[in-house]
Amino acid sequence: MTVAKDEFIMEIDDGSMRSMHRAEALLAAFGDDIAPAIASALNRAVKGVPTDASRAVPEVYGIKAKDVREVFRISKHAAAKSLRAELRASGNVIG
């Protein structure tokens, strides 16, 4: 995988993966009935990232919150049949 120097990659460690597998096993007991709720939760989580980032990043880097918020784009929303959401952020390198 080639990564541009201004691209951010989030990695999930083994502990997080174990927690996700455990949650997945617990939720499997609900069958397909839980899928719409999971999709809704994923979409809410993805929608909240720009807000959280626009609060945290300015404190550390002195960038305007508006400038941080503008770099985010939800590229894929989760649905009951496709429990996957994507959020992309791109912009110019600061410095």
Side-chain angles (χ1 to χ4, degrees):
M1 173 171 70
T2 305
V3 178
K5 66 179 180 179
D6 60 340
E7 189 172 338
F8 171 79
I9 297 176
M10 182 175 68
E11 294 184 21
I12 299 172
D13 64 18
D14 289 338
S16 297
M17 285 302 294
R18 282 191 294 276
S19 295
M20 288 192 311
H21 288 304
R22 182 171 180 260
E24 185 179 5
L26 292 169
L27 292 172
F30 291 99
D32 291 336
D33 296 339
I34 196 81
I38 294 171
S40 179
L42 284 169
N43 290 329
R44 274 194 317 275
V46 167
K47 188 177 178 184
V49 170
T51 302
D52 294 343
S54 68
R55 290 181 182 150
V57 170
E59 292 177 10
V60 177
Y61 296 102
I63 303 167
K64 293 179 186 174
K66 176 185 169 221
D67 294 336
V68 174
R69 232 182 344 267
E70 289 176 347
V71 303
F72 288 97
R73 179 177 57 88
I74 298 173
S75 57
K76 182 175 175 105
H77 292 272
K81 292 187 178 192
S82 172
L83 296 177
R84 177 181 172 146
E86 290 181 16
L87 176 72
R88 298 187 181 257
S90 62
N92 296 324
V93 176
I94 300 169

